[in-house]
Amino acid sequence: MRTGSRQRPARGPLRRGARRWSARLPRPHTLRARLTAGLVVLLAVSCAAVGVAAVVELNGFLTGRLDQQLHDAGERFPASLEHGGTLPSDHDGDGDKDGDGDGDTRRQTVGTFGARLVGDTVTNAAVVGSGTGAGTGALDVALGAADRRTLAAVPADGRGHTIDLSALDDYRVMAVRGRDGDVLITGLPTEPVEATVRRLELVAAVVFGAALAVAGFAGALWVRWSLRPLSRVAATATKVSRLPLSSGEVGLWPRAPEADPRSEVGRVADAFNTMLGHVEDALTKRHASEERLRSFAADASHELRTPVASIRGHAELALLHPGPVPQKVARALERIEAEAARMGEMVDDLLLLARLDAGRPLERLPVDLTRLVLDAVTDAQAAGPGHRWTLELSEEPVTVTGDAHRLHQVLANLLANARLHTPVGSTITISLETDDGTAVLKVHDDGPGVAADVQPRVFERFTHGDRRRTEGVESGTGTGLGLSIVAAVAEAHGGGVALESAPGSTTFTVRVPAGEG
């Protein structure tokens, strides 16, 4: 149990390390790279399989040849070691005429090993030496204790076995039983076999490596050529994604090149082009609908200005009547005048938004934004004397290029929004500075804040604050278009507006490019 408890914690770090190592391996990202890498990997596996099979087969074949040589040589050499170079059956007295008298080396290959064992004891061990002829004498081999145990362990079954002798390296040996009950071992060196196998391995590595390099290059070219239609589809999709669709442009002119509809890439290109056609139709219809809506809003606003002004004028004229007017009638006329004025402001706001939506250019003149802020705050103080107004201005005047009237309207709307949606006594801070070539105007108040569900649509048209923000404040006459005008004017000047709000802190930030254009 202790051993197991030691091993299990060790495997966790190893596995985590393996995962981290594998995560750091480079991985191809494009389809072309993945296909090329897959082809190269499959070819590498195939080459490795062929190379291993060839090496194993050649090694087996050469080892079989070596065993056949051992079988043909028989036990002549190890048997002769006992009789000093003369076999027991050699009665004609020729013996070992060319050797040194310690073994019969006739018809024996240089390097042939012979050993005789009686029981588990090695009594003789020699190897055929090199010389000018085949059979030039045998040389005694000094065997260590490990070598003797290795020889004693060879089974006398007449089959080839590979052993490693410290004095002679690797040998292929065959052991048989002798006539005297001894064991005779004959061996041949495996070095020629190993050298041939190593040469085959080297040749296979070079040939397969070159084949992989050529196949990888050719495969990359082939995959690149095969995926050209798909690359064109991707290029077309990139072009479409860069089109300014939100600005009213609906001409999706790029189309994927036509390809064979029977192929996968051809079907993708055809489906992509069909999808672009549907999207273009939908955008065209949407753009036409928006144009009709803008035209209606502009026309309606323009047409409403005259009757609204007429209603307001008649109400004012009735209030100026010198004769006695009942108080209820006078109150009704005052309400008619107030609502007519409010409706006139709404008509003007709608007409302004319609013009901005239509992309009509604003004035592009140098505007002293610092002066506009001072004037707007002065007006706001007069309208909301119960609030505390704070100014934070940079030392240098902030100048922008734009429409002074519309920028003043932005300031007036933001200050009116802060005044109308915060209780009396709240502090409203207006700051103006430049940041990296951008004029940054912030209007901050410490009121109840804007509800989280209202914030995402606070700059949409006809959006009103929630009850939490308006409880305890004066009844406003907002139309829900003020912040929409702020956003539209800021965008028309190349900037934008943002809101950050939480209970006790609400900040509207307007950014427009600074400097004189």
Side-chain angles (χ1 to χ4, degrees):
M1 295 299 291
R2 292 178 181 174
T3 302
S5 63
R6 292 193 191 101
Q7 291 174 350
R8 280 192 295 269
R11 286 196 296 266
L14 288 177
R15 292 174 180 171
R16 289 193 296 270
R19 287 194 295 267
R20 288 194 296 267
W21 178 81
S22 61
R24 287 195 293 266
L25 289 177
R27 297 179 180 178
H29 297 287
T30 63
L31 178 61
R32 184 169 58 200
R34 291 182 180 181
L35 290 176
T36 303
L39 290 175
V40 172
V41 169
L42 290 177
L43 183 59
V45 171
S46 301
C47 291
V50 172
V52 170
V55 168
V56 171
E57 181 63 23
L58 179 62
N59 185 72
F61 174 75
L62 295 179
T63 302
R65 290 281 302 273
L66 205 59
D67 292 344
Q68 185 62 39
Q69 292 179 17
L70 289 173
H71 183 272
D72 295 340
E75 70 277 9
R76 173 184 293 273
F77 177 57
S80 67
L81 296 177
E82 179 186 5
H83 304 286
T86 304
L87 293 173
S89 59
D90 187 9
H91 300 294
D92 56 1
D94 53 1
D96 182 13
K97 297 180 180 179
D98 299 322
D100 57 1
D102 56 358
D104 185 6
T105 61
R106 292 173 296 174
R107 296 186 298 277
Q108 299 296 327
T109 304
V110 175
T112 302
F113 172 78
R116 178 175 178 271
L117 287 79
V118 177
D120 292 335
T121 302
V122 179
T123 60
N124 305 91
V127 64
V128 176
S130 60
T132 58
T136 58
L139 303 176
D140 291 336
V141 178
L143 300 176
D147 296 336
R148 296 178 182 274
R149 288 194 296 271
T150 299
L151 291 173
V154 177
D157 54 3
R159 297 179 180 177
H161 302 277
T162 301
I163 63 174
D164 182 14
L165 300 177
S166 59
L168 300 174
D169 294 332
D170 292 342
Y171 260 72
R172 187 73 174 178
V173 298
M174 182 180 296
V176 296
R177 298 258 177 210
R179 299 177 181 178
D180 300 333
D182 52 1
V183 176
L184 304 176
I185 297 178
T186 306
L188 289 173
T190 61
E191 194 278 333
V193 174
E194 295 174 352
T196 304
V197 172
R198 284 195 298 269
R199 184 175 180 83
L200 176 62
E201 292 174 347
L202 177 61
V203 172
V206 172
V207 172
F208 289 157
L212 283 177
V214 173
F217 180 74
L221 294 179
W222 174 258
V223 171
R224 183 185 183 89
W225 181 83
S226 300
L227 295 182
R228 279 192 307 173
L230 190 59
S231 300
R232 294 170 182 170
V233 172
T236 303
T238 302
K239 292 180 181 178
V240 172
S241 67
R242 294 174 180 173
L243 293 177
L245 301 180
S246 60
S247 62
E249 295 289 341
V250 295
L252 300 181
W253 54 267
R255 288 293 190 273
E258 294 184 0
D260 187 356
R262 296 172 298 179
S263 65
E264 292 81 357
V265 176
R267 290 197 295 270
V268 169
D270 183 66
F272 182 74
N273 289 335
T274 302
M275 180 190 69
L276 288 182
H278 293 330
V279 172
E280 186 173 15
D281 292 341
L283 290 176
T284 302
K285 293 178 180 178
R286 186 199 69 177
H287 184 63
S289 176
E290 290 178 352
E291 286 296 326
R292 288 194 297 269
L293 183 60
R294 292 193 187 102
S295 178
F296 169 77
D299 294 342
S301 300
H302 182 74
E303 295 298 331
L304 284 174
R305 296 178 74 178
T306 300
V308 168
S310 178
I311 293 173
R312 185 177 179 182
H314 285 294
E316 292 176 352
L317 181 61
L319 288 173
L320 294 176
H321 190 273
V325 179
Q327 186 173 359
K328 289 184 178 180
V329 175
R331 176 62 179 166
L333 290 174
E334 290 175 355
R335 293 305 305 152
I336 291 174
E337 180 186 6
E339 290 302 319
R342 179 170 175 268
M343 186 177 294
E345 293 178 359
M346 183 184 297
V347 169
D348 291 339
D349 291 343
L350 287 173
L351 187 58
L352 172 61
L353 289 172
R355 290 172 177 173
L356 292 175
D357 289 342
R360 294 188 182 181
L362 301 176
E363 290 186 357
R364 305 295 295 175
L365 298 174
V367 178
D368 186 351
L369 198 57
T370 303
R371 172 57 58 185
L372 289 184
V373 170
L374 292 174
D375 293 342
V377 171
T378 300
D379 297 339
Q381 285 177 330
H387 289 71
R388 291 190 295 271
W389 302 89
T390 304
L391 273 174
E392 296 179 356
L393 303 178
S394 60
E395 296 181 358
E396 298 294 331
V398 178
T399 303
V400 300
T401 301
D403 191 320
H405 178 66
R406 298 309 175 196
L407 291 174
H408 184 273
Q409 191 171 6
V410 168
L411 292 168
N413 287 354
L414 288 176
L415 297 181
N417 178 77
R419 174 176 55 84
L420 294 174
H421 294 90
T422 56
V424 175
S426 300
T427 299
I428 302 174
T429 303
I430 302 94
S431 64
L432 178 64
E433 61 181 359
T434 57
D435 180 19
D436 194 19
T438 302
V440 181
L441 171 70
K442 294 184 179 181
V443 178
H444 174 269
D445 67 70
D446 56 1
V450 181
D453 59 335
V454 178
Q455 293 183 26
R457 50 187 178 87
V458 71
F459 297 107
E460 297 178 2
R461 298 169 190 182
F462 301 106
T463 298
H464 296 271
D466 59 319
R467 292 185 58 190
R468 178 176 63 83
R469 183 163 168 82
T470 57
E471 285 178 354
V473 304
E474 61 181 87
S475 177
T477 59
T479 62
L481 296 175
L483 293 180
S484 301
I485 293 176
V486 170
V489 173
E491 292 177 0
H493 282 81
V497 61
L499 167 66
E500 295 180 5
S501 182
S505 177
T506 298
T507 302
F508 286 89
T509 303
V510 178
R511 297 177 181 269
V512 293
E516 298 183 8

